[in-house]
Amino acid sequence: MAAPAISTLVILGAGGDLTSRLLLPGLASLLASTRGSDIRLIGVDRDPMTDAAWKRRVTKAFSAVDGRRIESVIESSSYLQADVTDPAALERVLAAATGRTALYFALPPAVTVLACRTLAGVDLPAGIVLAVEKPFGTDLKSATALNRLLQRLVPEEQVFRVDHFLGKSTVINLLGLRFANRIFEPLLSAQNVAHVEINIEEDLGLEGRAGYYDKAGALIDMIQSHLLLVLALATMEPPATVASEDLRGAMAQLLRATRSWKKDGTESRRARYTAGTIGRRKLPAYTSEAGVDRTRGTETLAEMTVAIDNWRWAGVPFVLRSGKAIGEPRQEVVFTFRDVPHLPTGFSGPSRQAQLRIGIKPATMSLDLVTNGFEDPFDLECDTLDANFRPSELSAYGEVLAELLEGDPTLSVRGDIAEECWRIVAPVLAAWRADRVPLDSYPAGTRGPRSWR
Ligand code: BG6
């Protein structure tokens, strides 16, 4: 029997940047959609705030949409001042909630851990869902410890580890494209694919997030979480259903078979941006941004190669790359096909290998076909079939929140998956901490270090 939907959403860390920039706008996109339903919203934070001030904050974050449901959620929402490390304060918060409740930890990771420890001394209402933001721990050991702590509080189906990439319609579309079409799936294996790249680049710089980012860097911020999940969806075996345990089981199985290409992680590359221009925006060097500790050596562009040790993918390199302040950023999964086993003698070309490119942003797909040349028909060229995907009704956060509020953990990162992701990046993190891989640089607005091309 399906679990009842959530009636009260409690946001711990309601005064923070994550709440106003992503969570509330995501909730607004959900409330305005056909999947939205009435919900009580309670904001909780350390500082005093009146209900009226909180409602103004929610109204501002909801400003992109309107409608009866939006108004009623704002109207019924309230604010509570509470210290999340105080059991009595958390009991007060839970007493204010009605019906099935989700407790969303929009807090820095270290405070989330403290709040979870506090919850261990509190009587939790049946069915409560605990929603935890990324980064989930700071390494394998801390992620495992946090998982143990959460397991003591509620069953795994009631933990929702949020990764908004799982809510992107283009990422979910990897499943539809692969498993609902006959033409792609049989091609996607080591027999036909020479190498795969997953690039998630951005033209944004630090955006005032030094407090978090300078301790994380591109590898932890993006590859350890988002890119490895995209890899899992792009390469896993077809599940029997897309229900939570089948889907996440297939992802976990794939990630268990994944390891860094070289045991010591030294195939990886890292770099940091210097001052530069992106369009009309001038970006200072990363190390000149407020709050950055230049001695920490944090990378803003990271690349690692992984192998998948299973029948389908043995021997194929998967290059995962993500960076900030990149000019003409790409967000795509690119399968590069092997040459045909024998090209009939007399043909020449084509000049490059054919690819299947699945765009995450923009939402596109292109498939190269090798065809006869324009001037000399025996001189082969690549033509491309292009498709644009329909945009989704919901934003990525809206999609993830929809699943969370429906009480369905399908788009939540299962505990073992979070741990596998840390295991996979661990050799690279160790190599970087021991300075066995140089830290290169690139001017903001370029495609990365010249030496990488
Ligand atoms: C976040 C990272 O998880 O994802 C950010 O912390 C990054 O550094 C962001 O910019 C990218 O997400 P989106 O949806 O803007 O592509």
Side-chain angles (χ1 to χ4, degrees):
M1 202 175 66
I6 299 292
S7 334
T8 304
L9 173 64
V10 179
I11 302 180
L12 305 178
D17 177 56
L18 173 73
T19 300
S20 49
R21 217 167 38 90
L22 296 168
L23 209 44
L24 291 178
L27 182 61
S29 110
L30 171 60
L31 292 174
S33 77
T34 48
R35 286 171 71 187
S37 59
D38 281 327
I39 182 115
R40 258 198 77 207
L41 178 65
I42 302 180
V44 177
D45 218 322
R46 269 186 318 196
D47 298 326
M49 194 180 336
T50 60
D51 277 348
W54 164 246
K55 282 180 188 176
R56 276 199 299 279
R57 204 176 263 248
V58 177
T59 307
K60 191 168 168 219
F62 281 10
S63 61
V65 287
D66 50 22
R68 190 209 54 79
R69 198 177 293 125
I70 293 278
E71 277 163 30
S72 96
V73 169
I74 295 174
E75 191 43 45
S76 67
S77 86
S78 53
Y79 180 82
L80 286 174
Q81 181 187 4
D83 171 359
V84 295
T85 63
D86 173 3
L90 285 181
E91 267 165 12
R92 229 175 356 96
V93 167
L94 291 173
T98 42
R100 194 169 182 217
T101 302
L103 211 51
Y104 200 113
F105 297 78
L107 297 166
V111 186
T112 297
V113 173
L114 293 179
C116 287
R117 282 198 195 130
T118 313
L119 281 181
V122 171
D123 234 355
L124 295 178
I128 188 170
V129 171
L130 306 179
V132 189
E133 266 288 334
K134 83 167 245 294
F136 189 76
T138 49
D139 55 16
L140 177 56
K141 202 164 150 220
S142 58
T144 310
L146 182 51
N147 273 340
R148 292 229 175 91
L149 180 56
L150 288 165
Q151 270 161 16
R152 293 212 321 262
L153 300 176
V154 292
E156 173 64 32
E157 318 80 74
Q158 287 166 235
V159 179
F160 205 103
R161 293 176 197 77
V162 177
D163 187 302
H164 77 286
F165 263 59
L166 289 183
K168 289 187 184 245
S169 59
T170 39
V171 170
I172 301 171
N173 198 34
L174 282 167
L175 298 175
L177 202 66
R178 288 187 58 202
F179 304 137
N181 290 288
R182 268 188 178 273
I183 57 169
F184 298 118
E185 201 42 28
L187 284 180
L188 300 184
S189 71
Q191 210 185 348
N192 304 302
V193 174
H195 53 91
V196 179
E197 277 168 45
I198 302 182
N199 287 312
I200 307 284
E201 301 166 338
E202 303 173 272
D203 54 11
L204 294 179
L206 189 55
E207 304 277 292
R209 295 168 71 219
Y212 151 72
Y213 191 88
D214 201 41
K215 291 195 196 84
L219 182 71
I220 289 179
D221 183 44
M222 297 294 290
I223 294 182
Q224 185 277 332
S225 47
H226 305 321
L227 273 78
L228 283 172
L229 297 177
V230 172
L231 172 80
L233 293 175
T235 57
M236 69 188 206
E237 294 303 316
T241 74
V242 285
S244 63
E245 283 320 289
D246 283 343
L247 183 69
R248 299 187 305 167
M251 292 172 78
Q253 191 176 19
L254 182 285
L255 290 167
R256 279 199 296 277
T258 303
R259 58 166 169 89
S260 85
W261 189 259
K262 280 194 189 169
K263 258 202 183 111
D264 64 2
T266 52
E267 86 295 336
S268 61
R269 301 196 283 190
R270 56 177 175 154
R272 185 161 70 180
Y273 67 81
T274 55
T277 309
I278 305 184
R280 291 213 194 117
R281 274 184 307 134
K282 276 203 161 100
L283 253 72
Y286 175 77
T287 50
S288 308
E289 296 265 20
V292 167
D293 175 357
R294 60 168 54 227
T295 60
R296 217 192 292 270
T298 301
E299 80 291 351
T300 57
L301 173 62
E303 183 188 280
M304 81 174 284
T305 305
V306 299
I308 300 175
D309 292 328
N310 66 14
W311 189 300
R312 185 193 279 260
W313 292 116
V316 176
F318 291 81
V319 180
L320 313 179
R321 184 183 309 120
S322 183
K324 290 200 181 286
I326 300 287
E328 294 166 37
R330 292 166 299 174
Q331 296 211 349
E332 56 184 12
V333 181
V334 183
F335 294 89
T336 300
F337 293 108
R338 294 182 189 284
D339 291 332
V340 291
H342 172 72
L343 186 66
T345 311
F347 273 130
S348 71
S351 54
R352 62 181 177 86
Q353 286 166 296
Q355 294 182 324
L356 168 64
R357 291 180 294 278
I358 301 167
I360 291 171
K361 198 156 87 186
T364 55
M365 192 208 74
S366 44
L367 176 66
D368 293 333
L369 295 178
V370 178
T371 53
N372 290 6
F374 174 63
E375 285 166 356
D376 177 352
F378 294 97
D379 192 4
L380 300 173
E381 288 171 3
C382 269
D383 275 332
T384 306
L385 288 176
D386 288 312
N388 292 320
F389 298 133
R390 248 172 310 203
S392 162
E393 187 187 15
L394 293 181
S395 70
Y397 257 91
E399 185 66 48
V400 168
L401 280 170
E403 299 276 314
L404 163 66
L405 298 180
E406 283 160 16
D408 181 347
T410 303
L411 296 187
S412 150
V413 180
R414 208 170 63 184
D416 56 331
I417 292 184
E419 290 179 27
E420 287 304 328
C421 291
W422 280 114
R423 178 195 53 77
I424 293 165
V425 299
V428 175
L429 281 174
W432 292 5
R433 282 179 188 151
D435 251 334
R436 285 198 297 271
V437 174
L439 177 63
D440 298 324
S441 63
Y442 60 101
T446 61
R447 303 220 33 74
R450 201 178 274 274
S451 60
W452 287 26
R453 273 167 240 162

